[in-house]
Amino acid sequence: MRDLKHLIFFEDLLQDANNALVQQACAQGKLALAYNCSYIPEVLLDVEGCFGIRLRAPRCTSPDLATYYMTNRSCPYSKSILERAFEGGYNFIDALLGQECCTTMNRTEQYFEYCKLIPKERFFVSCIDMPLKKSDWHAGYFRRQIEKKIIEPLSRVYGVDFSQEKLRAAVERHNEVCRIISRIGQLRKQENPPITGYEFHVIQLVSLTCPKELILPYLRETLEELLQREPDPKPFYRARVMVAGSEIDDPEFTRLLESCGAFVVADRYCFGSIPGREEIVLEEGKDILQSIADSYLYHNQCPRTMGPEAIVGRKQFLFDLAKAYGAEGVILQNMKFCEYWGYERAQASMWMQEGFSLPDTLPVCQIERDYTIAAAGQLRTRFQAFVESLEIKRIQAGK
C-alpha cells in the first residue's frame, strides 16, 4: 500500500514526550497536564488553556535509578516513567493527575513530588481514588473525586476555567477525536483493510500524547486519506489477532507481531482504543461533569473493577470484541509484576480456551513481557508459532 502522508511525522512525535506539538502548545502558554491511567478523564485535561498528555518513556532501556527507589519487582512501565522523570524528560509538565488504584503507579507519582523532579514552582501531583465497582453511587463518588482531586487544584493553582461552557467545548473536541479514531479502527474489520495494525497503533498513540487542537487537523486528513486508500490486491497478513492486556505504548511491539504474519485487528489494552475512544454522551438536563464521570466509569474495562458481574463481563467483552473484528485468536499479555493484569491474563486465557461462561472457545497466546521489547527474539518465536497454529486451524476447518 502507498505510505500514509503523515506516518513519519506521527512516528517522530512518539520519539519523545516533549514532542514538537507539545512544545508548540507550551510556547502558546498552555498548561501541560500529564496522566498515566485510562481512569483519568482525559477530556477534563483538554479544557481551554490546557492539554492532556499521557506519559510514555520512549527509548528507556534500563531504569536503574528508578529500581533503587521502587525495587526490581515493580512494574517496569512505572519504573520507566520514573526513570525518565529523573532524566528530566518531563520537565515541561505543569501537573500530574494520577490515581490510587495501582499501588506501583501511585508510588511512582508520589516520587515526582517527594524528589522534586519537576523544576516548576507550582507543579503538583494529585491522585484520585477510583471506586472498585460500577453503580450510580460509585459514579457519584467518582464525580466527587474528580471535583476534589482534579478540578479544585487546577482551578486554585492555575485558575483553569471549568465552567459548563468550557466543559462542553472540551467534550465536543474530545468526541471528534473519538469519532475519527473509531472510524479508522473500524476499517480493520475489512478482510483486506486499507490500514495495518502498526499504523493504527501509531495514530492512536499520537491522539493520546499530543495537544488535541494541534493533532486534530492531521487526524482528519489521515482519515480522509485512508477512506480513499487502495489496499494491495492480496491481504498482507496470514492471521487476524486481537491483543489484550496491560500497557503497550511502543508501536514496535505491533510491528514485531505483524512481521510474523499477524494482523492486529483490535487493541483491548492500556493505551488502546477499545475501550478508550467512546464518545461522551451529554444528555439533556444532565450535569456535564456527571456525564463525564459516568462515561469513564462504565466504559472502562480495567481488571481492577471487582465483583462477579464485572469479572464475567470482561471475558464476554473480549469474546464479543474478537468476533466483531474477525479475530481468529487472542494474544493476552501483561507487564511483568502487574498484579491486576497478571491474574486477569491467566483467568481470561483459561475461560477462552475452555469456553467457560462463553458461547465458544478461542485460541490464546499468553505472554508476560518487559516494558521494552528487548526479548524480541523470544517474542518472535512465540508469535510465529501462534500464527502458524491459527493457519493450521483454518485449514483443518476447510476455510
Side-chain angles (χ1 to χ4, degrees):
M1 291 183 289
R2 184 176 181 178
D3 290 342
L4 292 176
K5 177 181 177 181
H6 298 305
L7 183 61
I8 294 177
F9 175 61
F10 290 159
E11 291 172 330
D12 288 343
L13 291 174
L14 296 176
Q15 296 305 305
D16 196 345
N18 192 15
N19 60 54
L21 296 186
V22 168
Q23 294 176 29
Q24 182 179 338
C26 289
Q28 295 170 353
K30 294 186 177 181
L31 299 171
L33 307 178
Y35 67 107
N36 285 315
C37 178
S38 57
Y39 269 124
I40 303 299
E42 174 191 6
V43 64
L44 292 178
L45 311 188
D46 290 319
V47 296
E48 186 176 300
C50 308
F51 67 93
I53 173 172
R54 190 155 179 180
L55 292 185
R56 300 169 55 251
R59 299 193 300 270
C60 182
T61 58
S62 181
D64 295 332
L65 186 55
T67 300
Y68 172 78
Y69 285 86
M70 303 279 288
T71 80
N72 59 1
R73 292 186 177 274
S74 297
C75 162
Y77 167 72
S78 302
K79 288 195 298 185
S80 297
I81 295 295
L82 183 58
E83 186 76 16
R84 187 49 52 90
F86 276 117
E87 295 169 352
Y90 309 125
N91 286 353
F92 64 94
I93 66 176
D94 296 283
L96 174 58
L97 290 311
Q99 40 71 26
E100 298 177 357
C101 58
C102 171
T103 303
T104 306
M105 180 53 67
N106 184 235
R107 189 175 176 191
T108 292
E109 292 158 348
Q110 289 173 342
Y111 278 128
F112 271 68
E113 264 190 333
Y114 295 162
C115 298
K116 302 185 184 303
L117 299 181
I118 307 300
K120 289 191 175 185
E121 184 178 349
R122 293 192 289 174
F123 172 82
F124 68 88
V125 175
S126 182
C127 295
I128 63 174
D129 176 29
M130 277 303 304
L132 286 164
K133 294 185 177 181
K134 300 180 181 182
S135 71
D136 290 344
W137 184 90
H138 291 92
Y141 177 78
F142 184 26
R143 179 229 166 96
R144 294 190 294 275
Q145 282 289 303
I146 291 173
E147 291 177 313
K148 182 179 180 181
K149 303 293 182 64
I150 297 179
I151 291 179
E152 190 281 326
L154 286 174
S155 301
R156 172 172 45 82
V157 177
Y158 292 113
V160 178
D161 184 0
F162 286 99
S163 64
Q164 295 288 296
E165 178 187 359
K166 303 299 183 184
L167 287 176
R168 187 175 295 276
V171 169
E172 290 175 356
R173 185 165 52 248
H174 174 83
N175 283 350
E176 182 180 1
V177 172
C178 292
R179 284 192 296 272
I180 292 173
I181 296 297
S182 297
R183 183 69 183 88
I184 294 175
Q186 291 286 326
L187 297 174
R188 297 175 294 176
K189 290 183 176 181
Q190 299 178 19
E191 183 177 349
N192 190 10
I195 187 171
T196 67
Y198 168 77
E199 291 170 334
F200 181 80
H201 196 171
V202 169
I203 294 168
Q204 162 65 1
L205 285 174
V206 296
S207 77
L208 290 169
T209 58
C210 297
K212 298 293 187 296
E213 288 184 337
L214 299 181
I215 198 64
L216 256 173
Y218 297 99
L219 295 178
R220 294 185 190 116
E221 190 173 348
T222 300
L223 172 58
E224 293 303 316
E225 181 182 1
L226 284 166
L227 293 176
Q228 302 298 322
R229 193 186 200 189
E230 289 290 336
D232 295 333
K234 183 179 179 181
F236 59 85
Y237 60 88
R238 293 159 52 196
R240 300 168 65 91
V241 302
M242 176 178 72
V243 179
S246 56
E247 291 91 346
I248 305 180
D249 66 13
D250 184 358
E252 290 303 317
F253 178 91
T254 305
R255 191 202 291 271
L256 171 63
L257 178 52
E258 295 196 321
S259 72
C260 298
F263 170 36
V264 179
V265 296
D267 52 332
R268 207 269 57 84
Y269 49 76
C270 299
F271 280 89
S273 67
I274 313 172
R277 283 297 173 231
E278 296 78 23
E279 292 187 54
I280 298 171
V281 178
L282 299 182
E283 300 176 22
E284 189 69 30
K286 186 175 181 180
D287 178 70
I288 296 178
L289 192 57
Q290 189 61 59
S291 296
I292 292 172
D294 290 350
S295 180
Y296 279 87
L297 180 68
Y298 287 110
H299 283 145
N300 205 300
Q301 292 289 325
C302 177
R304 177 184 182 273
T305 305
M306 303 299 179
E309 183 178 348
I311 292 172
V312 176
R314 285 196 296 272
K315 313 306 185 295
Q316 186 67 54
F317 180 84
L318 283 177
F319 182 85
D320 292 343
L321 190 62
K323 291 300 182 181
Y325 280 79
E328 300 170 87
V330 181
I331 293 178
L332 291 169
Q333 56 78 35
N334 71 274
M335 202 76 67
K336 288 182 178 179
F337 310 116
C338 178
E339 182 177 4
Y340 293 125
W341 275 110
Y343 285 114
E344 185 74 9
R345 170 184 57 80
Q347 188 182 61
S349 176
M350 182 62 68
W351 283 32
M352 288 194 170
Q353 292 182 90
E354 299 295 333
F356 182 68
S357 292
L358 295 173
D360 200 356
T361 61
L362 278 171
V364 172
C365 173
Q366 292 189 67
I367 62 170
E368 186 179 56
R369 62 184 188 84
D370 207 334
Y371 179 61
T372 66
I373 57 170
Q378 296 176 4
L379 289 176
R380 185 181 298 278
T381 300
R382 296 284 302 278
F383 292 155
Q384 287 174 337
F386 187 56
V387 168
E388 289 174 6
S389 71
L390 295 178
E391 286 183 306
I392 293 172
K393 185 178 178 66
R394 190 189 314 128
I395 292 172
Q396 291 175 338
K399 297 181 181 179

